[in-house]
Amino acid sequence: MVVGELAHERDVVIVGGGPGGYHAAIRAAQLGLSVTLVEKEALGGVCLNKGCIPSKVFAHAAQSMTSVQHMNDMGIEWAHVAFHPGKLQQYKTKVIGQLRQGVEALCKANKIEVIKGTASFLAEDRIGVEKGDAFDVYRFRYAVIATGAALVAPAAINVDHKRVLNAYSIYGLEELPNHLIVYGSDYIALEVATSFRAFGADVSIVLESDDFVFDSSINRELQRLLKKMKVKVYKNSRITHVESEQEQVTVSLAVKEQETVSLEGSHLFVSCGLKANVDGLEIDRLGLKRTKEGFIDVNERAQTSLPHIFAVGDVTGGPALAVKAIKQGKVAAETMAGKQSEADTTFLPTIVHSIPPIASVGLTEEEAKEQYKDVRIGQFPLTGNGYASIIGQKDGFIKVISDADSEMVLGIHMMGAGAVELISSGVIGLEMVGREEDWKFPLYPHPSINEGLLEAVEALRAEAIHLPPTKQKGAVSS
Amino acid sequence: MLEVKLHDIGEGMTEAVVIHYFVKKGDYVKADQPLVEVQTDKMVAEIPSPAEGTVLDIFVPEGQTIAVGTTLLSLQTEAVGHEQAKEQAAVTVEAEVETESEPVVSEPIGTNESKTKPQRILASPYTRKIAREHGVDLSLVKGTGPAGRITDEDVYRYVQGQQAPQTTQQEQAAQPVAPTVEHEPATVTVTKEETKEETIIPFRGRRKQIAKKMTQSLFTIPHCTHFEEIDVTELIALREELKGHGMNISATAFFIKALSLALKQFPIFNAKLDEENECIRLEKEHHFGIAVDTEDGLIVPVIKNIEKKSLRQIHEEAKALTKKALENQLSLAEMTGGTFTISNVGPLGGSIGATPIINYPEVALVAFHKTKKRPVVMENDEIAVRSMMNLSMSFDHRVADGATAVAFTNYFAKLIENPKLMLMELI
Ligand SMILES: Cc1cc2nc3c(=O)[nH]c(=O)nc-3n(C[C@H](O)[C@H](O)[C@H](O)COP(=O)(O)OP(=O)(O)OC[C@H]3O[C@@H](n4cnc5c(N)ncnc54)[C@H](O)[C@@H]3O)c2cc1C
């Protein structure tokens, strides 16, 4: 290894080119700073290469599969419908390639120096980059740590990426599992379960807890729909042992920590915990403060305990979502440029590209009742929405929760067609401290799923038009 | 035990003055809660608590200057053993490299969201931005808007120190329980401070705001100041003549009008530099801020649209606004939107020159000093007794150059020295 004598001087050095890192880089460049971005693998990080994008390619393909029957109903017929997992892989690779080129082009257009290499801190103002045999030293005014987090499987499970898969390897499958066992209750597990079910695999879900992690109404509807899809759900069950063989996996479940049940499948998918990617970064020599779980501790400006060093995205803990990484990345850059900026995840939308999709923001009914004296609930099923009938996707509902005292809306939860796009109307309204009338006054495009949101807000006072009075009374909770 | 030290807060700072502790011995503090305010020659900074715990001891009294690395106070943290050592390492930059600890794995993805949801802030993102830009902690601002929403005005009012803080940080710290909606009256703090022996002037509210604005201006704008001497003898004569007609128009009103006329010739001084978009925006309207010295410090009410107003209107408005400023009754609209600022320190006596700080983000400011009778050599080489006044003009050297500024004050001087010329500008 050759140690460079001279340090290159930069305003900003960013470690990691995932969503957090590249958003920080581009915003910093926009604000006139000279930026170097160090990435050891591929620009786009987990999100583009192994996470959000691959999973959504699968979810989209699966959604398309389910619409085949509906197309038939409308007179669009095929002689033969088949699914080729290998071809979907090619499509996935193409989409990822295009998007990555887009990010690379944007970095170039913003005059960001992108270095392929592995970075580690040498001092509070110095970073070393190892690329092959060369070792370069950069001196920075500001640094951003955007190295993400690694998946850590439960101790009892050995992920071999063949029969036992994690969130990265599941979307690399070139074959369709016969029977996929999904272990986990988070959004990734649900996307995996519903996507592979739509492609035709048998799917069972194993939950450690007694339910999914959403608002109770969504959990209930989800169970009904999973049952309809013939997906079996094992609750209160913990995997204690996995036997991976040539053609199958055998899983031992401890149900309620008492009886043991054995489950056979062709593949097992495991939801994982996360561990900050800080090994080899040498941040401990800077004394950067960490959370109990080992993530880098940051404030609302994404500053670490050394204010000129920022950390963004999964490496900072909290919700492990690209949404958060993106926001923190921009906030970090703006803070360096002297702007007053802030990342606040109070109204972070949670979305699941499941079939049907789920989206929610703000308090759940249970949380709202804990924090407010008198809570109103308005719920509107998509069966009452005209557009849902047109597109043949009538499963799901929209639920709105408000504080009866102030009429302030506290949370919005949706399941069904259009949920992921529509949730933004909820996010903006909540950020604006909107009250019931703030949603009822505007005009909603007709016919569209949007109207479902309006009717859910109207249902808070039993005023939804497309819902019989009895149903609305039932929805008002004390 | 955890020691909280004055760490390097950047900009090559080596020492700082301890301004104010937000906590006292025995207080319970949360992680990141501000513990103490320190001031360097460049800025005021708050040192947050590195961890949750109880304040064991405070070592440095307020007002003392200390070097980087000095221990300010100690905390008893809940953590024990290894955890503690880890936190200590985090506070002291020089601390030894910590031995690798066991990797700790969080809950599965999606469920590892923090369980302690922050109390909802009832303010729109736009209002929150205003608060950030003024360094206001919104949890301390009382919302007067619909359903308790915090409005832009609430924030500005808080900045002006017109709203008594609902809870001081000391009191908050003393209550480890979840924050409730009821708050203690503000009087508690006041009495606390009066019992102290030395005289303490709180560096908050308007004083702090002035400090902030001045610092921002001086650090952003490369200031350039030049001085000019103006013969106001004719202006005094004109004012006397007008008094004969029952009209008492202040000299300030004439200055403002003449400056506005000069700005029409030199609009570069009535502009804003928009660095982000790489342009200078010339403002069409002339909104003049008038610096007024009040008991609580400097305040700058704004007279709008000078370019459309008569001398008499300007005079009346300046008088009314100054009165309101002194009585602390200015509305927000009356204090914002300036495009140019004047400061008439003449009536205070004394000063013959100054290097005024520009009212950021404006481009220029003119200060008028004391008028004094002086012997002056006239054009025909005779010496005459004339009433002379000095002015100081500071301008943003990024936007304009010295020659333009001199041309501007020359134009202004010509109008004041021959006030009748202003007639030519009547519309
Ligand atoms: C299957 C799946 C689906 C997901 N779906 C969604 C979704 O729908 N919506 C959503 O918001 N989020 C989703 N996520 C989460 C999302 O992918 C992450 O939150 C996001 O990628 C975090 O971004 P980041 O910038 O913090 O880190 P990453 O994307 O992890 O990027 C970190 C980068 O840093 C590089 N790096 C690390 N150490 C070094 C070093 N020392 N030197 C140089 N480079 C280094 C790595 O190579 C990597 O490219 C999903 C994740 C998975 C796994």
Side-chain angles (χ1 to χ4, degrees):
Chain A
M1 187 168 30
V2 185
V3 178
E5 297 262 296
L6 287 172
H8 308 276
E9 306 267 337
R10 295 288 183 277
D11 288 334
V12 192
V13 174
I14 297 171
V15 186
Y22 90 74
H23 278 81
I26 293 179
R27 179 54 51 84
Q30 286 170 337
L31 296 173
L33 299 166
S34 65
V35 183
T36 292
L37 177 64
V38 188
E39 167 57 58
K40 66 179 160 81
E41 287 169 24
L43 279 188
V46 165
C47 174
L48 206 166
N49 300 292
K50 317 186 231 185
C52 325
I53 304 305
S55 58
K56 266 35 99 176
V57 165
F58 271 64
H60 169 65
Q63 178 69 51
S64 309
M65 266 312 259
T66 58
S67 60
V68 168
Q69 180 55 47
H70 175 61
M71 292 208 178
N72 258 297
D73 295 346
M74 293 187 298
I76 306 170
E77 289 182 10
W78 282 271
H80 173 67
V81 178
F83 170 58
H84 301 292
K87 234 171 144 184
L88 182 60
Q89 285 300 338
Q90 287 168 19
Y91 180 73
K92 179 192 91 176
T93 309
K94 191 176 103 193
V95 172
I96 291 175
Q98 282 169 350
L99 291 176
R100 200 193 297 133
Q101 276 169 19
V103 175
E104 284 162 1
L106 281 172
C107 286
K108 198 162 171 203
N110 281 288
K111 303 195 171 55
I112 293 161
E113 178 189 30
V114 179
I115 300 178
K116 189 155 181 174
T118 305
S120 56
F121 284 88
L122 305 173
E124 269 177 44
D125 62 344
R126 256 163 243 262
I127 219 162
V129 180
E130 206 183 323
K131 31 178 182 174
D133 290 340
F135 188 82
D136 279 329
V137 176
Y138 291 81
R139 221 179 127 210
F140 58 80
R141 281 168 60 209
Y142 303 102
V144 181
I145 303 170
T147 50
L151 300 179
V152 181
I157 303 175
N158 172 36
V159 177
D160 61 15
H161 301 298
K162 290 195 184 74
R163 298 258 148 218
V164 184
L165 306 140
N166 68 11
Y168 302 160
S169 47
I170 185 88
Y171 294 111
L173 276 186
E174 299 259 354
E175 60 185 5
L176 188 62
N178 269 330
H179 177 197
L180 177 65
I181 302 171
V182 173
Y183 184 35
S185 59
D186 58 52
Y187 73 99
I188 296 180
L190 258 181
E191 288 179 357
V192 166
T194 57
S195 292
F196 281 92
R197 178 68 197 122
F199 291 137
D202 282 340
V203 173
S204 308
I205 299 179
V206 178
L207 299 181
E208 274 188 11
S209 51
D210 64 353
D211 217 337
F212 290 97
V213 294
F214 310 98
D215 177 271
S216 54
S217 308
I218 292 201
N219 287 345
R220 218 174 306 127
E221 178 74 354
L222 192 54
Q223 298 221 30
R224 188 182 72 80
L225 292 174
L226 287 172
K227 201 165 173 185
K228 207 168 116 184
M229 287 180 223
K230 303 201 171 59
V231 171
K232 187 151 173 45
V233 180
Y234 297 83
K235 295 180 178 175
N236 300 308
S237 302
R238 191 169 55 84
I239 295 187
T240 52
H241 184 72
V242 180
E243 201 61 56
S244 178
E245 291 147 55
Q246 199 64 350
E247 294 292 322
Q248 69 168 36
V249 282
T250 310
V251 171
S252 309
L253 298 182
V255 182
K256 293 198 168 147
E257 295 301 326
Q258 289 159 2
E259 58 177 312
T260 305
V261 173
S262 174
L263 198 62
E264 275 173 20
S266 65
H267 295 77
L268 168 67
F269 165 80
V270 237
S271 266
C272 292
L274 287 176
K275 177 182 168 291
N277 285 334
V278 291
D279 293 351
L281 255 190
E282 302 290 347
I283 54 163
D284 286 329
R285 80 165 80 194
L286 309 183
L288 292 191
K289 203 179 146 202
R290 304 234 234 134
T291 66
K292 272 208 256 354
E293 296 86 10
F295 294 101
I296 301 180
D297 205 21
V298 291
N299 63 15
E300 71 285 357
R301 290 185 293 272
Q303 286 166 306
T304 66
S305 52
L306 289 179
H308 70 293
I309 299 182
F310 297 75
V312 306
D314 286 1
V315 77
T316 64
L321 291 170
V323 203
K324 193 198 74 167
I326 289 168
K327 183 69 185 184
Q328 284 181 318
K330 292 182 193 166
V331 166
E334 286 163 8
T335 303
M336 291 169 204
K339 294 191 177 298
Q340 298 296 327
S341 207
E342 175 189 13
D344 182 340
T345 57
T346 309
F347 295 122
L348 182 96
T350 309
I351 60 154
V352 192
H353 282 262
S354 47
I355 301 171
I358 298 169
S360 94
V361 61
L363 302 184
T364 61
E365 179 176 343
E366 296 69 36
E367 290 168 334
K369 281 178 175 163
E370 259 171 45
Q371 297 179 24
Y372 293 83
K373 217 170 66 236
D374 213 354
V375 168
R376 265 200 281 266
I377 309 288
Q379 193 161 322
F380 185 79
L382 289 188
T383 41
N385 177 275
Y387 198 68
S389 288
I390 295 174
I391 62 173
Q393 297 180 38
K394 293 189 286 185
D395 282 332
F397 62 89
I398 298 174
K399 173 174 176 176
V400 176
I401 299 156
S402 72
D403 169 26
D405 254 4
S406 64
E407 298 186 20
M408 199 158 68
V409 171
L410 305 173
I412 298 180
H413 307 274
M414 310 177 174
M415 185 173 192
V420 172
E421 301 294 332
L422 186 48
I423 196 66
S424 291
S425 304
V427 177
I428 294 173
L430 284 168
E431 288 286 7
M432 298 302 293
V433 203
R435 287 172 289 170
E436 295 170 8
E437 182 63 17
D438 297 323
W439 271 273
K440 288 198 282 189
F441 182 82
L443 304 174
Y444 288 70
H446 172 83
S448 74
I449 305 289
N450 294 288
E451 294 170 293
L453 174 58
L454 169 64
E455 298 220 51
V457 177
E458 289 177 332
L460 287 165
R461 313 279 195 107
E463 287 169 356
I465 301 295
H466 298 93
L467 205 54
T470 47
K471 286 269 173 68
Q472 306 202 41
K473 275 235 182 69
V476 179
S477 125
S478 59
Chain B
M1 195 194 67
L2 180 60
E3 291 185 339
V4 178
K5 300 189 175 186
L6 175 68
H7 52 249
D8 186 355
I9 41 185
E11 300 282 319
M13 171 212 97
T14 54
E15 56 176 26
V17 187
V18 178
I19 303 283
H20 176 68
Y21 285 96
F22 300 113
V23 295
K24 58 185 183 323
K25 220 167 132 171
D27 277 356
Y28 167 87
V29 295
K30 289 187 293 228
D32 293 330
Q33 178 179 332
L35 294 174
V36 50
E37 193 175 50
V38 297
Q39 182 170 26
T40 71
D41 46 351
K42 291 183 180 164
M43 61 175 172
V44 177
E46 285 174 4
I47 297 189
S49 179
E52 181 177 317
T54 312
V55 179
L56 272 184
D57 217 342
I58 291 181
F59 302 115
V60 184
E62 289 179 1
Q64 190 158 318
T65 303
I66 53 167
V68 167
T70 310
T71 304
L72 285 158
L73 47 80
S74 59
L75 289 179
Q76 181 68 56
T77 55
E78 320 288 289
V80 277
H82 184 70
E83 276 299 308
Q84 237 178 36
K86 193 161 141 191
E87 272 160 345
Q88 197 140 12
V91 201
T92 332
V93 176
E94 256 66 33
E96 302 156 43
V97 178
E98 202 215 333
T99 45
E100 249 325 274
S101 56
E102 282 289 289
V104 195
V105 173
S106 71
E107 297 275 288
I109 302 169
T111 57
N112 67 347
E113 287 177 42
S114 132
K115 294 281 185 301
T116 48
K117 285 243 160 84
Q119 201 71 11
R120 182 168 174 185
I121 298 284
L122 299 185
S124 75
Y126 196 98
T127 310
R128 292 172 66 142
K129 180 153 186 259
I130 295 173
R132 285 200 301 277
E133 286 171 351
H134 288 82
V136 172
D137 174 359
L138 280 177
S139 65
L140 303 175
V141 179
K142 187 175 169 346
T144 62
R149 191 192 301 198
I150 301 169
T151 63
D152 296 0
E153 275 72 20
D154 291 332
V155 177
Y156 288 122
R157 220 175 292 135
Y158 185 84
V159 169
Q160 304 293 335
Q162 286 173 8
Q163 180 205 314
Q166 303 177 341
T167 353
T168 65
Q169 270 142 326
Q170 287 104 312
E171 285 156 4
Q172 271 196 343
Q175 303 167 343
V177 285
T180 49
V181 192
E182 283 88 22
H183 294 286
E184 297 287 306
T187 44
V188 187
T189 11
V190 179
T191 46
K192 254 186 211 159
E193 284 184 355
E194 279 171 355
T195 55
K196 294 220 176 107
E197 291 208 334
E198 71 271 54
T199 314
I200 290 178
I201 301 168
F203 185 66
R204 292 189 210 123
R206 189 178 298 171
R207 193 69 253 156
K208 189 159 177 179
Q209 189 51 24
I210 293 172
K212 214 177 149 188
K213 283 213 76 166
M214 293 302 171
T215 315
Q216 180 189 28
S217 172
L218 212 50
F219 275 103
T220 314
I221 303 179
H223 280 62
C224 179
T225 305
H226 79 273
F227 307 104
E228 187 57 83
E229 185 185 54
I230 293 176
D231 185 338
V232 294
T233 317
E234 295 302 320
L235 178 66
I236 292 174
L238 176 62
R239 287 188 57 217
E240 285 307 316
E241 196 183 328
L242 288 173
K243 268 189 204 156
H245 296 288
M247 275 177 279
N248 188 358
I249 305 289
S250 70
T252 310
F254 280 95
F255 295 156
I256 292 174
K257 191 72 207 177
L259 279 172
S260 169
L261 295 174
L263 284 177
K264 278 191 189 155
Q265 302 297 322
F266 301 91
I268 193 73
F269 295 114
N270 196 61
K272 293 220 162 71
L273 174 60
D274 181 349
E275 274 191 287
E276 211 168 290
N277 294 307
E278 302 183 346
C279 65
I280 298 167
R281 299 180 193 280
L282 303 182
E283 310 274 354
K284 285 216 176 59
E285 296 170 308
H286 296 178
H287 303 319
F288 271 49
I290 309 166
V292 177
D293 180 50
T294 74
E295 240 174 51
D296 293 341
L298 174 72
I299 195 154
V300 187
V302 177
I303 309 182
K304 302 273 158 71
N305 294 101
I306 301 292
E307 81 283 5
K308 290 188 198 145
K309 284 184 178 149
S310 69
L311 274 165
R312 197 195 330 231
Q313 277 172 302
I314 296 170
H315 171 77
E316 295 297 338
E317 273 191 48
K319 210 165 92 182
L321 285 173
T322 308
K323 182 159 176 281
K324 275 190 171 178
L326 293 171
E327 292 167 357
N328 219 351
Q329 283 180 340
L330 288 170
S331 73
L332 182 66
E334 288 167 333
M335 289 189 285
T336 48
T339 60
F340 189 94
T341 299
I342 67 155
S343 169
N344 190 1
V345 292
L348 304 176
S351 115
I352 59 162
T355 54
I357 296 177
I358 298 162
N359 197 359
Y360 179 86
E362 294 169 17
V363 166
L365 180 152
V366 173
F368 301 105
H369 303 280
K370 186 173 63 171
T371 301
K372 205 175 164 186
K373 284 195 177 153
R374 264 180 265 164
V376 175
V377 180
M378 306 300 283
E379 269 177 19
N380 54 8
D381 277 358
E382 279 175 15
I383 291 177
V385 173
R386 306 289 293 181
S387 295
M388 302 301 289
M389 177 190 74
N390 290 359
L391 73 73
S392 315
M393 170 175 178
S394 290
F395 63 94
D396 185 340
H397 214 328
R398 297 173 302 176
V399 175
D401 296 322
T404 322
V406 171
F408 173 75
T409 45
N410 281 349
Y411 190 90
F412 170 75
K414 197 169 91 189
L415 293 175
I416 295 298
E417 287 171 0
N418 314 285
K420 288 184 184 119
L421 284 180
M422 284 200 240
L423 278 177
M424 299 300 115
E425 305 284 346
L426 277 182
I427 310 170

